[in-house]
Short mmCIF file of all heavy atoms in Angstrom, two decimals:
data_model
loop_
_atom_site.label_atom_id
_atom_site.label_comp_id
_atom_site.label_asym_id
_atom_site.label_seq_id
_atom_site.Cartn_x
_atom_site.Cartn_y
_atom_site.Cartn_z
N ASP N 117 30.45 -102.84 -92.94
CA ASP N 117 29.26 -103.05 -93.73
C ASP N 117 29.75 -103.45 -95.14
O ASP N 117 30.26 -102.66 -95.89
CB ASP N 117 28.35 -101.95 -93.86
CG ASP N 117 27.00 -102.28 -94.44
OD1 ASP N 117 26.89 -103.18 -95.09
OD2 ASP N 117 26.05 -101.41 -94.29
N SER N 118 29.62 -104.67 -95.58
CA SER N 118 30.06 -105.20 -96.83
C SER N 118 29.37 -104.51 -97.88
O SER N 118 29.81 -104.57 -99.11
CB SER N 118 30.00 -106.72 -96.83
OG SER N 118 28.69 -107.10 -96.63
N GLU N 119 28.15 -104.11 -97.69
CA GLU N 119 27.34 -103.47 -98.71
C GLU N 119 27.74 -101.96 -99.07
O GLU N 119 27.32 -101.41 -100.06
CB GLU N 119 25.82 -103.60 -98.40
CG GLU N 119 25.44 -104.96 -98.19
CD GLU N 119 23.89 -105.04 -97.87
OE1 GLU N 119 23.25 -103.96 -97.73
OE2 GLU N 119 23.44 -106.09 -97.53
N VAL N 120 28.47 -101.51 -98.23
CA VAL N 120 28.94 -100.04 -98.44
C VAL N 120 30.44 -99.89 -98.79
O VAL N 120 31.31 -100.46 -97.98
CB VAL N 120 28.59 -99.12 -97.17
CG1 VAL N 120 29.08 -97.73 -97.44
CG2 VAL N 120 27.19 -99.27 -96.91
N ALA N 121 30.86 -99.34 -99.88
CA ALA N 121 32.25 -99.19 -100.30
C ALA N 121 32.78 -98.10 -99.28
O ALA N 121 32.26 -97.28 -98.83
CB ALA N 121 32.34 -98.71 -101.65
N THR N 122 34.07 -98.44 -98.83
CA THR N 122 34.80 -97.61 -98.06
C THR N 122 34.93 -96.24 -98.45
O THR N 122 34.77 -95.34 -97.73
CB THR N 122 36.32 -98.13 -97.92
OG1 THR N 122 36.10 -99.61 -97.31
CG2 THR N 122 37.12 -97.19 -96.81
N ASP N 123 35.20 -95.94 -99.81
CA ASP N 123 35.36 -94.65 -100.22
C ASP N 123 33.97 -93.88 -100.42
O ASP N 123 33.95 -92.67 -100.80
CB ASP N 123 35.91 -94.68 -101.63
CG ASP N 123 35.33 -95.51 -102.69
OD1 ASP N 123 34.29 -96.16 -102.37
OD2 ASP N 123 35.83 -95.57 -103.77
N SER N 124 32.91 -94.62 -100.14
CA SER N 124 31.50 -93.83 -100.23
C SER N 124 31.01 -93.57 -98.86
O SER N 124 29.86 -93.15 -98.66
CB SER N 124 30.54 -94.83 -100.92
OG SER N 124 30.24 -95.98 -100.19
N GLU N 125 31.79 -93.71 -97.80
CA GLU N 125 31.42 -93.39 -96.37
C GLU N 125 30.92 -92.10 -96.34
O GLU N 125 31.66 -91.00 -96.73
CB GLU N 125 32.51 -93.62 -95.47
CG GLU N 125 32.16 -93.32 -94.06
CD GLU N 125 31.44 -94.41 -93.39
OE1 GLU N 125 31.10 -95.38 -93.77
OE2 GLU N 125 31.34 -94.38 -91.95
N GLN N 126 29.72 -91.77 -95.89
CA GLN N 126 29.10 -90.46 -95.76
C GLN N 126 29.19 -89.95 -94.33
O GLN N 126 28.99 -90.82 -93.42
CB GLN N 126 27.74 -90.36 -96.25
CG GLN N 126 27.50 -90.55 -97.73
CD GLN N 126 26.11 -90.51 -98.24
OE1 GLN N 126 25.24 -90.47 -97.44
NE2 GLN N 126 25.87 -90.37 -99.51
N LEU N 127 29.45 -88.63 -94.20
CA LEU N 127 29.68 -88.10 -92.75
C LEU N 127 28.23 -87.93 -92.24
O LEU N 127 27.39 -87.25 -92.95
CB LEU N 127 30.36 -86.78 -92.85
CG LEU N 127 30.95 -86.13 -91.53
CD1 LEU N 127 32.02 -86.97 -91.08
CD2 LEU N 127 31.39 -84.64 -91.85
N THR N 128 27.95 -88.59 -91.08
CA THR N 128 26.65 -88.46 -90.38
C THR N 128 26.89 -88.01 -89.07
O THR N 128 27.99 -88.32 -88.43
CB THR N 128 26.04 -89.76 -90.58
OG1 THR N 128 26.71 -90.77 -89.76
CG2 THR N 128 25.70 -90.37 -91.94
N GLY N 129 25.78 -87.44 -88.52
CA GLY N 129 25.76 -87.09 -87.02
C GLY N 129 25.56 -85.50 -86.99
O GLY N 129 25.45 -84.79 -87.90
N THR N 130 25.55 -85.14 -85.71
CA THR N 130 25.31 -83.69 -85.36
C THR N 130 26.68 -83.15 -85.09
O THR N 130 27.43 -83.70 -84.22
CB THR N 130 24.46 -83.47 -84.02
OG1 THR N 130 23.15 -84.25 -84.21
CG2 THR N 130 24.20 -82.18 -83.67
N PRO N 131 27.12 -82.09 -85.85
CA PRO N 131 28.57 -81.70 -86.00
C PRO N 131 29.20 -81.50 -84.56
O PRO N 131 30.41 -82.00 -84.33
CB PRO N 131 28.47 -80.42 -86.78
CG PRO N 131 27.30 -80.61 -87.67
CD PRO N 131 26.36 -81.34 -86.84
N HIS N 132 28.53 -80.77 -83.56
CA HIS N 132 29.24 -80.48 -82.30
C HIS N 132 29.31 -81.73 -81.41
O HIS N 132 29.88 -81.60 -80.31
CB HIS N 132 28.34 -79.30 -81.68
CG HIS N 132 28.44 -78.09 -82.46
ND1 HIS N 132 27.68 -77.94 -83.60
CD2 HIS N 132 29.19 -76.98 -82.27
CE1 HIS N 132 27.93 -76.70 -84.01
NE2 HIS N 132 28.88 -76.14 -83.26
N PHE N 133 28.81 -82.81 -81.88
CA PHE N 133 28.97 -83.94 -81.01
C PHE N 133 29.66 -85.16 -81.68
O PHE N 133 29.63 -86.37 -81.37
CB PHE N 133 27.62 -84.43 -80.45
CG PHE N 133 26.89 -83.33 -79.61
CD1 PHE N 133 26.05 -82.48 -80.14
CD2 PHE N 133 27.30 -83.19 -78.31
CE1 PHE N 133 25.44 -81.48 -79.43
CE2 PHE N 133 26.74 -82.13 -77.56
CZ PHE N 133 25.87 -81.34 -77.95
N MET N 134 30.19 -84.89 -82.95
CA MET N 134 30.80 -85.87 -83.69
C MET N 134 32.17 -86.08 -83.26
O MET N 134 33.01 -85.26 -82.81
CB MET N 134 30.75 -85.53 -85.24
CG MET N 134 29.28 -85.55 -85.67
SD MET N 134 29.26 -84.90 -87.46
CE MET N 134 30.23 -86.22 -88.26
N ALA N 135 32.82 -87.30 -83.57
CA ALA N 135 34.19 -87.68 -83.21
C ALA N 135 35.26 -86.80 -84.09
O ALA N 135 34.90 -86.53 -85.29
CB ALA N 135 34.40 -89.16 -83.40
N TYR N 136 36.23 -86.50 -83.56
CA TYR N 136 37.23 -85.57 -84.10
C TYR N 136 37.81 -86.18 -85.46
O TYR N 136 38.01 -85.52 -86.43
CB TYR N 136 38.38 -85.35 -83.12
CG TYR N 136 39.40 -84.36 -83.57
CD1 TYR N 136 39.16 -83.05 -83.77
CD2 TYR N 136 40.75 -84.78 -83.86
CE1 TYR N 136 40.18 -82.09 -84.16
CE2 TYR N 136 41.75 -83.90 -84.21
CZ TYR N 136 41.36 -82.57 -84.48
OH TYR N 136 42.36 -81.78 -84.79
N GLU N 137 38.00 -87.56 -85.34
CA GLU N 137 38.58 -88.18 -86.66
C GLU N 137 37.61 -88.16 -87.72
O GLU N 137 38.01 -88.01 -88.89
CB GLU N 137 38.92 -89.64 -86.19
CG GLU N 137 40.05 -90.03 -85.30
CD GLU N 137 40.25 -91.50 -85.06
OE1 GLU N 137 39.29 -92.23 -85.29
OE2 GLU N 137 41.49 -91.79 -84.75
N LEU N 138 36.32 -88.26 -87.46
CA LEU N 138 35.31 -88.20 -88.54
C LEU N 138 35.37 -86.74 -89.22
O LEU N 138 35.22 -86.56 -90.39
CB LEU N 138 33.95 -88.45 -88.01
CG LEU N 138 33.72 -89.90 -87.48
CD1 LEU N 138 32.32 -90.02 -86.95
CD2 LEU N 138 33.86 -90.89 -88.73
N LEU N 139 35.36 -85.73 -88.32
CA LEU N 139 35.32 -84.32 -88.89
C LEU N 139 36.58 -84.02 -89.64
O LEU N 139 36.56 -83.19 -90.56
CB LEU N 139 35.14 -83.35 -87.73
CG LEU N 139 33.74 -83.47 -87.08
CD1 LEU N 139 33.71 -82.69 -85.80
CD2 LEU N 139 32.70 -82.87 -87.99
N ARG N 140 37.81 -84.54 -89.26
CA ARG N 140 38.94 -84.23 -89.83
C ARG N 140 39.32 -85.30 -91.07
O ARG N 140 40.09 -85.12 -91.88
CB ARG N 140 40.16 -84.53 -88.91
CG ARG N 140 40.24 -83.22 -87.85
CD ARG N 140 40.83 -82.06 -88.58
NE ARG N 140 41.96 -82.17 -89.31
CZ ARG N 140 43.08 -81.99 -88.68
NH1 ARG N 140 43.16 -81.52 -87.45
NH2 ARG N 140 44.26 -82.06 -89.38
#
């Protein structure tokens, strides 16, 4: 998404079903 800065990526999702890379 060109409208969203890489460093502003927000963690989204339900924690127990989120990808390991995102949580770490």
Side-chain angles (χ1 to χ4, degrees):
D117 192 340
S118 58
E119 298 179 0
V120 178
T122 301
D123 57 1
S124 66
E125 177 82 355
Q126 294 183 346
L127 198 64
T128 61
T130 304
H132 293 76
F133 301 97
M134 291 174 63
Y136 185 68
E137 288 185 339
L138 295 172
L139 291 167
R140 287 291 300 271

